[in-house]
Each structure stands twice: as structure tokens, then as C-alpha cells.
Amino acid sequence: EKMMKGRMPVAGESQTVEPIIKKAGSGKVNSYSCTNYDVYRGDVKTSQHCVASWESLEGGAEMKTVMVEMSQFMDQLNKSFKNNKGMFGQQMKFENNVFKQIEKMNGFPVQTIDYGNGVVISESELVSSKKTTVNASALEPPAGYKQQRMDLN
């Protein structure tokens, strides 16, 4: 609970908090030069992204296309909730807004650091990117898979 304070909205919160994105210098993650952006929810820092240019990544153009499509998907997912006033709905709105902001940064986050209560709670880094062909059968659901519906409202 303490860890998620500052990342999750307060129960019953009805106002959407827009993420605040602040440029925070530059860095290098693995072999990628990148620009740091701090993300705040109000005055609480929730994450930091080190964003590399699309051109610096193998397959960067394709990754950009996927990122834009994912942003559109998240927007539709957010709109599908009947009640966006609860804690989950507000978090979805905040995360969706952050996703759109990353899209506007015009690059790929090669490092993301998430904070909770001023402490690092997770960190991820892109080690490398490689264009390859994937056999379509690798994307098929496993044997016995059954589609299920979730009611999140």
C-alpha cells in the first residue's frame, strides 16, 4: 500500500490528474543516447523515461507505428469503461495520458524507472532491438485456451 501511494489515485477521487512531463537532461542507457523526462502526478514524481530517437533503434520506424497504434488502443480502452470515476478508472486515465505524452516525446523509452513514495519500485531497460521475422504460429493461443470476459465496472 505504501509503495503504491503517489502512483494510484485516492479512492473515490473524481478529478482526472493530468501528468506533468518535465525534461530532465540527457543520459546513455546501454548503447542508446537518450533524453530524460520526469513524469509527475501533481507534485509527486511517478516515473522517469530516458527516450532515444526512433532512428537510433533497429526497427525504430516499425516501433513508432506500434507505439502510435497502442496509444490509440489505450484511448479506446479508457473510453470503454462505464464508470471512470473509481480508482481503477482514474489510474487508466492517468496512464493513458502518460502514454500519449511518451508518444509526443518522439522516441522510444529505452529506460523507465517507476517511483512509489519517493522510492524506486521498478526499473526496465531496453538492451537491444533487432528486426526479425516471426512465424505466425508463434502468436497463436495455446491449446485449450478459452476467451473470457472481465467485468471491470
Side-chain angles (χ1 to χ4, degrees), residues 4-30:
M4 294 310 290
K5 187 178 179 185
R7 289 202 38 86
M8 297 293 285
V10 176
E13 185 179 76
S14 62
Q15 184 178 357
T16 300
V17 177
E18 293 292 325
I20 299 167
I21 311 292
K22 296 182 181 178
K23 199 171 190 178
S26 60
K28 189 161 186 151
V29 175
N30 297 313

mmCIF file of all heavy atoms in Angstrom, residues 4-30:
data_model
loop_
_atom_site.group_PDB
_atom_site.id
_atom_site.type_symbol
_atom_site.label_atom_id
_atom_site.label_comp_id
_atom_site.label_asym_id
_atom_site.label_seq_id
_atom_site.Cartn_x
_atom_site.Cartn_y
_atom_site.Cartn_z
ATOM 1 N N MET A 4 2.445 1.950 -3.403
ATOM 2 C CA MET A 4 1.599 2.459 -4.468
ATOM 3 C C MET A 4 1.123 3.884 -4.200
ATOM 4 O O MET A 4 0.606 4.541 -5.082
ATOM 5 C CB MET A 4 0.388 1.539 -4.672
ATOM 6 C CG MET A 4 0.781 0.161 -5.192
ATOM 7 S SD MET A 4 1.879 0.189 -6.620
ATOM 8 C CE MET A 4 0.762 0.796 -7.861
ATOM 9 N N LYS A 5 1.308 4.388 -2.982
ATOM 10 C CA LYS A 5 0.916 5.755 -2.676
ATOM 11 C C LYS A 5 1.704 6.687 -3.596
ATOM 12 O O LYS A 5 2.895 6.562 -3.744
ATOM 13 C CB LYS A 5 1.208 6.080 -1.215
ATOM 14 C CG LYS A 5 0.674 7.428 -0.793
ATOM 15 C CD LYS A 5 0.956 7.654 0.668
ATOM 16 C CE LYS A 5 0.444 9.025 1.067
ATOM 17 N NZ LYS A 5 0.803 9.331 2.438
ATOM 18 N N GLY A 6 1.026 7.618 -4.197
ATOM 19 C CA GLY A 6 1.697 8.505 -5.131
ATOM 20 C C GLY A 6 1.569 8.036 -6.564
ATOM 21 O O GLY A 6 1.685 8.812 -7.487
ATOM 22 N N ARG A 7 1.303 6.741 -6.772
ATOM 23 C CA ARG A 7 1.104 6.225 -8.125
ATOM 24 C C ARG A 7 -0.376 6.044 -8.407
ATOM 25 O O ARG A 7 -0.817 6.192 -9.510
ATOM 26 C CB ARG A 7 1.819 4.881 -8.308
ATOM 27 C CG ARG A 7 3.305 5.044 -8.346
ATOM 28 C CD ARG A 7 4.046 3.933 -9.021
ATOM 29 N NE ARG A 7 3.443 3.361 -10.194
ATOM 30 C CZ ARG A 7 3.569 3.801 -11.442
ATOM 31 N NH1 ARG A 7 4.236 4.887 -11.698
ATOM 32 N NH2 ARG A 7 3.030 3.170 -12.436
ATOM 33 N N MET A 8 -1.137 5.682 -7.384
ATOM 34 C CA MET A 8 -2.555 5.419 -7.566
ATOM 35 C C MET A 8 -3.360 6.600 -7.042
ATOM 36 O O MET A 8 -2.978 7.243 -6.078
ATOM 37 C CB MET A 8 -2.972 4.160 -6.787
ATOM 38 C CG MET A 8 -2.295 2.889 -7.257
ATOM 39 S SD MET A 8 -2.793 2.386 -8.900
ATOM 40 C CE MET A 8 -4.417 1.753 -8.562
ATOM 41 N N PRO A 9 -4.507 6.881 -7.640
ATOM 42 C CA PRO A 9 -5.358 7.941 -7.142
ATOM 43 C C PRO A 9 -6.022 7.530 -5.840
ATOM 44 O O PRO A 9 -6.114 6.356 -5.524
ATOM 45 C CB PRO A 9 -6.394 8.118 -8.254
ATOM 46 C CG PRO A 9 -6.403 6.829 -8.976
ATOM 47 C CD PRO A 9 -5.023 6.245 -8.839
ATOM 48 N N VAL A 10 -6.494 8.494 -5.101
ATOM 49 C CA VAL A 10 -7.199 8.245 -3.855
ATOM 50 C C VAL A 10 -8.566 7.669 -4.172
ATOM 51 O O VAL A 10 -9.224 8.097 -5.117
ATOM 52 C CB VAL A 10 -7.338 9.565 -3.057
ATOM 53 C CG1 VAL A 10 -8.149 9.365 -1.802
ATOM 54 C CG2 VAL A 10 -5.959 10.129 -2.742
ATOM 55 N N ALA A 11 -9.013 6.674 -3.393
ATOM 56 C CA ALA A 11 -10.314 6.060 -3.605
ATOM 57 C C ALA A 11 -11.395 7.128 -3.628
ATOM 58 O O ALA A 11 -11.412 8.028 -2.791
ATOM 59 C CB ALA A 11 -10.599 5.024 -2.524
ATOM 60 N N GLY A 12 -12.303 7.034 -4.598
ATOM 61 C CA GLY A 12 -13.389 7.987 -4.714
ATOM 62 C C GLY A 12 -12.998 9.269 -5.431
ATOM 63 O O GLY A 12 -13.819 10.141 -5.646
ATOM 64 N N GLU A 13 -11.743 9.419 -5.798
ATOM 65 C CA GLU A 13 -11.276 10.616 -6.491
ATOM 66 C C GLU A 13 -12.024 10.744 -7.807
ATOM 67 O O GLU A 13 -12.132 9.799 -8.554
ATOM 68 C CB GLU A 13 -9.771 10.464 -6.738
ATOM 69 C CG GLU A 13 -9.116 11.665 -7.343
ATOM 70 C CD GLU A 13 -7.623 11.414 -7.520
ATOM 71 O OE1 GLU A 13 -7.260 10.690 -8.462
ATOM 72 O OE2 GLU A 13 -6.835 11.940 -6.725
ATOM 73 N N SER A 14 -12.549 11.915 -8.103
ATOM 74 C CA SER A 14 -13.334 12.060 -9.315
ATOM 75 C C SER A 14 -12.660 12.945 -10.352
ATOM 76 O O SER A 14 -13.095 13.003 -11.477
ATOM 77 C CB SER A 14 -14.723 12.616 -8.984
ATOM 78 O OG SER A 14 -14.584 13.891 -8.403
ATOM 79 N N GLN A 15 -11.627 13.663 -9.988
ATOM 80 C CA GLN A 15 -10.969 14.558 -10.921
ATOM 81 C C GLN A 15 -9.758 13.869 -11.540
ATOM 82 O O GLN A 15 -8.940 13.295 -10.843
ATOM 83 C CB GLN A 15 -10.528 15.820 -10.194
ATOM 84 C CG GLN A 15 -9.916 16.854 -11.099
ATOM 85 C CD GLN A 15 -9.549 18.115 -10.336
ATOM 86 O OE1 GLN A 15 -9.806 18.234 -9.169
ATOM 87 N NE2 GLN A 15 -8.928 19.039 -11.024
ATOM 88 N N THR A 16 -9.658 13.943 -12.868
ATOM 89 C CA THR A 16 -8.513 13.370 -13.556
ATOM 90 C C THR A 16 -7.309 14.270 -13.339
ATOM 91 O O THR A 16 -7.394 15.476 -13.514
ATOM 92 C CB THR A 16 -8.790 13.237 -15.064
ATOM 93 O OG1 THR A 16 -9.916 12.394 -15.233
ATOM 94 C CG2 THR A 16 -7.598 12.663 -15.792
ATOM 95 N N VAL A 17 -6.204 13.673 -12.959
ATOM 96 C CA VAL A 17 -4.968 14.418 -12.786
ATOM 97 C C VAL A 17 -4.137 14.213 -14.040
ATOM 98 O O VAL A 17 -3.782 13.095 -14.380
ATOM 99 C CB VAL A 17 -4.194 13.932 -11.533
ATOM 100 C CG1 VAL A 17 -2.869 14.659 -11.410
ATOM 101 C CG2 VAL A 17 -5.028 14.108 -10.280
ATOM 102 N N GLU A 18 -3.858 15.300 -14.726
ATOM 103 C CA GLU A 18 -3.044 15.234 -15.933
ATOM 104 C C GLU A 18 -1.583 15.039 -15.547
ATOM 105 O O GLU A 18 -1.090 15.690 -14.614
ATOM 106 C CB GLU A 18 -3.181 16.520 -16.747
ATOM 107 C CG GLU A 18 -4.561 16.731 -17.337
ATOM 108 C CD GLU A 18 -4.905 15.732 -18.422
ATOM 109 O OE1 GLU A 18 -4.013 15.328 -19.182
ATOM 110 O OE2 GLU A 18 -6.084 15.363 -18.509
ATOM 111 N N PRO A 19 -0.873 14.179 -16.232
ATOM 112 C CA PRO A 19 0.549 14.025 -15.945
ATOM 113 C C PRO A 19 1.310 15.288 -16.336
ATOM 114 O O PRO A 19 0.978 15.946 -17.312
ATOM 115 C CB PRO A 19 0.975 12.837 -16.799
ATOM 116 C CG PRO A 19 -0.076 12.696 -17.833
ATOM 117 C CD PRO A 19 -1.330 13.299 -17.295
ATOM 118 N N ILE A 20 2.310 15.597 -15.563
ATOM 119 C CA ILE A 20 3.199 16.723 -15.860
ATOM 120 C C ILE A 20 4.524 16.112 -16.292
ATOM 121 O O ILE A 20 5.107 15.307 -15.564
ATOM 122 C CB ILE A 20 3.388 17.617 -14.622
ATOM 123 C CG1 ILE A 20 2.037 18.183 -14.183
ATOM 124 C CG2 ILE A 20 4.389 18.733 -14.921
ATOM 125 C CD1 ILE A 20 2.056 18.806 -12.803
ATOM 126 N N ILE A 21 4.977 16.479 -17.473
ATOM 127 C CA ILE A 21 6.210 15.940 -18.033
ATOM 128 C C ILE A 21 7.258 17.051 -18.030
ATOM 129 O O ILE A 21 7.008 18.141 -18.553
ATOM 130 C CB ILE A 21 6.000 15.452 -19.489
ATOM 131 C CG1 ILE A 21 4.777 14.554 -19.617
ATOM 132 C CG2 ILE A 21 7.268 14.804 -20.030
ATOM 133 C CD1 ILE A 21 4.869 13.235 -18.947
ATOM 134 N N LYS A 22 8.421 16.764 -17.425
ATOM 135 C CA LYS A 22 9.499 17.750 -17.374
ATOM 136 C C LYS A 22 10.776 17.146 -17.938
ATOM 137 O O LYS A 22 11.194 16.069 -17.519
ATOM 138 C CB LYS A 22 9.755 18.186 -15.927
ATOM 139 C CG LYS A 22 8.587 18.914 -15.288
ATOM 140 C CD LYS A 22 8.929 19.345 -13.873
ATOM 141 C CE LYS A 22 7.763 20.061 -13.222
ATOM 142 N NZ LYS A 22 8.078 20.450 -11.831
ATOM 143 N N LYS A 23 11.375 17.870 -18.881
ATOM 144 C CA LYS A 23 12.652 17.449 -19.437
ATOM 145 C C LYS A 23 13.686 17.523 -18.316
ATOM 146 O O LYS A 23 13.728 18.490 -17.560
ATOM 147 C CB LYS A 23 13.034 18.353 -20.603
ATOM 148 C CG LYS A 23 14.052 17.789 -21.527
ATOM 149 C CD LYS A 23 14.180 18.682 -22.760
ATOM 150 C CE LYS A 23 15.026 18.004 -23.795
ATOM 151 N NZ LYS A 23 15.137 18.799 -25.011
ATOM 152 N N ALA A 24 14.518 16.478 -18.210
ATOM 153 C CA ALA A 24 15.452 16.387 -17.080
ATOM 154 C C ALA A 24 16.858 16.005 -17.527
ATOM 155 O O ALA A 24 17.491 15.140 -16.939
ATOM 156 C CB ALA A 24 14.915 15.395 -16.053
ATOM 157 N N GLY A 25 17.327 16.614 -18.597
ATOM 158 C CA GLY A 25 18.701 16.344 -19.032
ATOM 159 C C GLY A 25 18.784 15.190 -20.015
ATOM 160 O O GLY A 25 17.805 14.794 -20.628
ATOM 161 N N SER A 26 19.988 14.655 -20.128
ATOM 162 C CA SER A 26 20.212 13.567 -21.071
ATOM 163 C C SER A 26 20.988 12.452 -20.382
ATOM 164 O O SER A 26 21.510 12.619 -19.285
ATOM 165 C CB SER A 26 20.972 14.068 -22.294
ATOM 166 O OG SER A 26 22.219 14.591 -21.903
ATOM 167 N N GLY A 27 21.035 11.321 -21.042
ATOM 168 C CA GLY A 27 21.731 10.178 -20.475
ATOM 169 C C GLY A 27 22.127 9.196 -21.555
ATOM 170 O O GLY A 27 21.963 9.456 -22.751
ATOM 171 N N LYS A 28 22.655 8.085 -21.111
ATOM 172 C CA LYS A 28 23.007 6.990 -22.015
ATOM 173 C C LYS A 28 22.619 5.698 -21.317
ATOM 174 O O LYS A 28 23.011 5.459 -20.174
ATOM 175 C CB LYS A 28 24.494 7.010 -22.352
ATOM 176 C CG LYS A 28 24.850 6.029 -23.442
ATOM 177 C CD LYS A 28 26.164 6.357 -24.077
ATOM 178 C CE LYS A 28 26.372 5.422 -25.247
ATOM 179 N NZ LYS A 28 27.176 5.992 -26.276
ATOM 180 N N VAL A 29 21.838 4.902 -21.994
ATOM 181 C CA VAL A 29 21.394 3.619 -21.463
ATOM 182 C C VAL A 29 21.845 2.561 -22.449
ATOM 183 O O VAL A 29 21.461 2.584 -23.622
ATOM 184 C CB VAL A 29 19.860 3.576 -21.283
ATOM 185 C CG1 VAL A 29 19.406 2.198 -20.851
ATOM 186 C CG2 VAL A 29 19.415 4.637 -20.287
ATOM 187 N N ASN A 30 22.679 1.645 -21.958
ATOM 188 C CA ASN A 30 23.314 0.661 -22.818
ATOM 189 C C ASN A 30 23.981 1.414 -23.967
ATOM 190 O O ASN A 30 24.803 2.267 -23.729
ATOM 191 C CB ASN A 30 22.329 -0.428 -23.224
ATOM 192 C CG ASN A 30 21.849 -1.199 -21.989
ATOM 193 O OD1 ASN A 30 22.643 -1.586 -21.150
ATOM 194 N ND2 ASN A 30 20.549 -1.385 -21.862
#
